[in-house]
Amino acid sequence: MDELKLYTYIAVFGTFALYFGIAWWARAGSTSDFYVAGGGITPFQNGMAIGADWMSAASFISMAGLIAFLGYGGSVFLMGWTGGYVLLAMLLAPYMRKHGKFTVPEFISDRYYSKTARIVAVVCLIIASVTYVIGQMKGVGVAFSRFLEVDYDLGLVIGMVVVWVYAVLGGMKGITYTQIAQYVVMIFAYTIPAVFISLQLTGNPIPQLGLGSTLADGSGVYLLDKLDMVVTDLGFKEYTTANMGGTLNMFAYTMSLMIGTAGLPHVIMRFFTVPSVQAARQSAGYALVCIALLYTVAPAVGAMARFNLMNTIEPAAGENLVYDERPQWFKDWEKTGLLKFEDKNGDGKVQYTANAETNEMVKVDRDIMVLANPAIANLPNWVIALVAAGGLAAALSTAAGLLLAISSSVSHDLMKGVFVPDMSEKNELLAGRVTMTIAILFAGYLGMNPPGFAAGTVALAFGLAASSIFPALMMGIFSKKMTGQAAVWGMISGIGVTMLYVFQHKGIMFIPGTSFLGDMGANWFFGISPNAFGAVGALVNFGVAFAILKMTAPAPDHIQDLVENMRIPTGAGAAHDH
Amino acid sequence: MENKEAYWQENLRLIFICLAIWFAVSFGLGLLLVEPLNAIRLGGYKLGFWFAQQGSIYSFLGLIFWYGAKMNKLDKKYHSEG
């Protein structure tokens, strides 16, 4: 066994042992433990747990890669996935914490005095969470197969067993403490390589400052200026100004991600675990601190990865890498099929250009940028091993949060809330564990046999949350008169419009060949891409709900009193059952 | 607590101010005004680019904590802690 493999095994299995230990220590004894971790999590602990919950395999592995290739256009992810926390802190978290229930559909059911509303909310939640969790399971499989050199399927099974142990045993309580550990692993794994690379390239150890510094080669040229020059020379768009589909599209995309973030139930649920309204506001702040630590480093990781990649292939203008002399990381990633070279002009050298006819790097998968980054920059093996453990922590922590959101909506909202209202606490806890097990098996199955729509999952999850759940929650708090009927039709039309738009351009359930309008910019509504359409769906939701409200009688008095009560922090006890 | 309506109105005003800043730093400086701002430099950063990839995130952080602190004061003023 070589050194790298040994270190990787130590890092991965060492962190797993840590998660198991924590799970055993924090096992759940009641439904309150299982759904809201007993309600005793401090704001800072909750901030770290939200950070781990929120930052998925997509944030950890894919985002910097996206930014590396999109340049300025990648800003939509940075602003969108952080700006949502401002909305959460001011518009949702404190009021939902005051109301003090276990799940998001439960809140909707109480506020809109309707079982229909609860069921609609459960359906939205399950579609959004299931589509999202498939991506995480795939991330687990890919990370295992690359780093431990096992089969994709076996890697996935290992991941399922790990999540099963700590999620089923500990519920929200186990997940919270495990996520705190996972956050620490992730943030070290992300920032340590970034610090090394920033130091190498610019001499500044702080990546956020390094990105704005001059190169350490003594030329006195700023890193970003040099990067702009290198990429435009090869025919790519300028890094710092490359737009993504026009300003309106970027605007809508950012807005969709912001309100989608604020509407994703597995994040909102975490605000039920703190002891007071003040703590809920504060934990949104700490959550953003924890998230910003990674999100402000990501642009540096992206830009520096692109810079290093370009430099490896073409160290000086016109002086290209000889293919036979390619570095080890190049060979490693070629084996996975994520990196492909084709010697089109037969000169044995690598030409990487924007022109499809002369470009010889026929495949450079964006997802390899973070994982391959330490190797590209020649960092020591223990750093590479740490990145492997971090990537797995990111995927596992988000998967656990999503699975809890799914299983609690089934066991608490459907079984206890609608079908078997007189279930005992002991049975409900058991039901929670059984549904969690089923959810893991189901997610694992989908991870092994990804359906056609897996590729579009993130777009769908955010679009759904943005167009259905966020508006319903916000109107429930800020409009005392809003009725259940209006909210239900708002949710249905918001989701409906969004799904229709996504499907008409991406195919029904993303099945190739079924799109009836074609996935082309020319057919997009004002140039808004399907991924960015959640913002329009949300507008439709608000519009329909207020139109119906105008035509019907306002919500009954006891509901208006309930909303008034929700708006003041006094008397928020522990999150409780009915 | 006393005077729920006044408490709520003060809260709404605060939310409005915060969201105006939230919108201005991200959608305003980071997206709509990015081109003119890019003519200004902040070290190696073009200013519009900096707002889109760094500045807006720092502003969001400041906003959430500022809002939290203001609301804690408001809760005390109206005797609404808990």
Side-chain angles (χ1 to χ4, degrees):
Chain A
M1 190 183 292
D2 59 35
E3 192 194 56
L4 173 60
K5 213 168 170 190
L6 179 70
Y7 283 150
T8 309
Y9 273 92
I10 293 174
V12 171
F13 289 106
T15 51
F16 282 7
L18 176 69
Y19 307 152
F20 286 148
I22 292 171
W24 182 250
W25 169 72
R27 55 196 186 276
S30 64
T31 49
S32 165
D33 280 352
F34 195 83
Y35 293 129
V36 295
I41 304 295
T42 68
F44 187 64
Q45 289 172 331
N46 199 35
M48 288 199 278
I50 293 171
D53 207 339
W54 173 245
M55 292 187 286
S56 58
S59 290
F60 189 92
I61 298 171
S62 306
M63 190 176 66
L66 274 172
I67 298 168
F69 290 97
L70 291 170
Y72 166 71
S75 310
V76 299
F77 303 105
L78 295 165
M79 289 189 287
W81 284 335
T82 53
Y85 282 85
V86 177
L87 301 177
L88 265 173
M90 289 164 205
L91 304 181
L92 302 183
Y95 314 105
M96 298 189 61
R97 175 60 194 85
K98 169 65 197 294
H99 186 63
K101 290 298 175 66
F102 287 168
T103 69
V104 173
E106 191 172 22
F107 175 89
I108 288 186
S109 150
D110 289 350
R111 167 60 185 84
Y112 292 120
Y113 45 97
S114 142
K115 276 191 183 163
T116 318
R118 189 171 191 154
I119 293 170
V120 171
V122 169
V123 172
C124 297
L125 183 153
I126 289 181
I127 302 177
S129 305
V130 168
T131 47
Y132 205 165
V133 87
I134 299 169
Q136 303 306 314
M137 295 319 250
K138 278 191 71 183
V140 172
V142 170
F144 269 108
S145 58
R146 167 71 190 87
F147 289 110
L148 302 184
E149 290 171 28
V150 295
D151 270 358
Y152 171 83
D153 285 2
L154 179 63
L156 190 58
V157 171
I158 300 175
M160 284 163 64
V161 172
V162 176
V163 175
W164 184 82
V165 170
Y166 69 73
V168 168
L169 195 64
M172 184 59 119
K173 196 173 167 197
I175 287 174
T176 303
Y177 290 108
T178 328
Q179 281 175 337
I180 292 171
Q182 283 161 335
Y183 174 77
V184 175
V185 172
M186 269 170 77
I187 207 69
F188 275 106
Y190 204 82
T191 48
I192 287 176
V195 166
F196 273 119
I197 293 170
S198 176
L199 202 56
Q200 265 179 10
L201 285 179
T202 67
N204 194 325
I206 302 167
Q208 291 92 331
L209 299 176
L211 183 59
S213 303
T214 52
L215 287 164
D217 59 8
S219 60
V221 179
Y222 283 114
L223 174 93
L224 283 169
D225 291 343
K226 179 78 191 235
L227 182 57
D228 276 344
M229 213 171 74
V230 169
V231 295
T232 44
D233 276 353
L234 296 171
F236 296 98
K237 283 195 231 167
E238 193 180 54
Y239 189 84
T240 54
T241 57
N243 205 309
M244 188 170 66
T247 303
L248 180 67
N249 182 52
M250 282 184 66
F251 193 98
Y253 209 143
T254 306
M255 190 62 96
S256 294
L257 295 179
M258 281 181 177
I259 56 185
T261 299
L264 275 176
H266 72 287
V267 175
I268 301 177
M269 272 176 84
R270 297 227 50 98
F271 290 101
F272 301 142
T273 64
V274 293
S276 69
V277 170
Q278 284 80 13
R281 290 190 205 116
Q282 221 180 0
S283 61
Y286 285 124
L288 191 55
V289 170
C290 294
I291 291 165
L293 257 173
L294 193 149
Y295 274 53
T296 54
V297 169
V301 172
M304 290 172 187
R306 179 88 178 266
F307 187 87
N308 274 334
L309 178 75
M310 294 313 223
N311 247 349
T312 307
I313 291 175
E314 197 168 340
E319 208 178 282
N320 293 64
L321 175 73
V322 177
Y323 182 67
D324 288 336
E325 294 167 11
R326 67 197 187 282
Q328 186 60 38
W329 62 264
F330 199 120
K331 294 176 192 161
D332 287 344
W333 287 96
E334 272 181 318
K335 274 185 236 154
T336 64
L338 297 173
L339 202 62
K340 259 194 208 121
F341 167 75
E342 218 180 275
D343 198 0
K344 288 181 179 162
N345 61 5
D347 67 352
K349 291 180 182 173
V350 185
Q351 271 91 24
Y352 183 25
T353 65
N355 184 340
E357 274 173 28
T358 56
N359 179 33
E360 300 183 338
M361 292 302 296
V362 287
K363 182 157 189 195
V364 185
D365 192 285
R366 290 163 175 175
D367 286 357
I368 72 171
M369 294 314 289
V370 165
L371 298 178
N373 212 8
I376 297 177
N378 274 320
L379 297 184
N381 280 335
W382 64 268
V383 177
I384 303 175
L386 187 62
V387 173
L392 285 166
L396 291 174
S397 60
T398 305
L402 289 163
L403 289 163
L404 185 75
I406 296 167
S407 69
S408 63
S409 70
V410 173
S411 64
H412 190 68
D413 288 301
L414 288 186
M415 292 171 71
K416 167 98 180 175
V418 178
F419 298 115
V420 202
D422 55 352
M423 187 162 30
S424 72
E425 183 180 325
K426 207 176 146 214
N427 281 345
E428 198 193 336
L429 189 57
L430 181 68
R433 290 188 159 133
V434 172
T435 47
M436 175 75 89
T437 307
I438 296 170
I440 291 174
L441 290 173
F442 182 58
Y445 171 80
L446 291 175
M448 278 179 205
N449 307 285
F453 61 88
T457 51
V458 173
L460 197 60
F462 278 90
L464 281 172
S467 62
S468 62
I469 297 169
F470 176 80
L473 294 177
M474 198 184 148
M475 290 185 294
I477 295 160
F478 288 87
S479 162
K480 271 199 288 194
K481 297 195 170 91
M482 185 52 66
T483 62
Q485 212 188 4
V488 166
W489 282 110
M491 280 194 273
I492 292 173
S493 51
I495 273 202
V497 166
T498 308
M499 288 196 27
L500 187 71
Y501 190 78
V502 173
F503 290 164
Q504 78 184 7
H505 294 296
K506 295 272 182 192
I508 295 158
M509 291 321 282
F510 301 93
I511 297 162
T514 56
S515 76
F516 32 96
L517 277 181
D519 186 15
M520 275 192 310
N523 295 327
W524 291 348
F525 179 73
F526 288 115
I528 297 173
S529 70
N531 287 5
F533 206 73
V536 181
L539 281 181
V540 170
N541 184 333
F542 280 120
V544 167
F546 278 104
I548 294 179
L549 180 66
K550 280 266 173 273
M551 292 185 282
T552 51
D557 286 345
H558 72 278
I559 294 297
Q560 300 205 22
D561 291 345
L562 177 105
V563 177
E564 263 193 15
N565 189 296
M566 212 181 330
R567 291 174 176 180
I568 53 168
T570 323
H576 51 80
D577 195 5
H578 302 285
Chain B
M1 75 183 272
E2 314 128 36
N3 214 347
K4 286 183 204 171
E5 198 46 41
Y7 171 82
W8 184 245
Q9 289 308 323
E10 281 202 51
N11 181 13
L12 285 183
R13 193 173 327 128
L14 202 54
I15 291 175
F16 182 79
I17 295 169
C18 288
L19 290 187
I21 300 171
W22 163 83
F23 188 85
V25 291
S26 50
F27 295 96
L29 304 178
L31 290 174
L32 302 176
L33 297 174
V34 67
E35 278 175 40
L37 283 178
N38 273 346
I40 307 167
R41 305 283 301 217
L42 187 74
Y45 284 112
K46 292 171 179 164
L47 193 59
F49 178 83
W50 182 82
F51 265 107
Q53 300 213 334
Q54 299 277 306
S56 54
I57 302 177
Y58 301 132
S59 314
F60 297 155
L61 271 175
L63 276 174
I64 295 184
F65 281 107
W66 185 70
Y67 174 76
K70 285 291 235 188
M71 283 308 286
N72 284 349
K73 269 190 206 149
L74 216 57
D75 292 346
K76 281 213 177 65
K77 183 171 154 196
Y78 289 91
H79 306 292
S80 183
E81 300 105 315

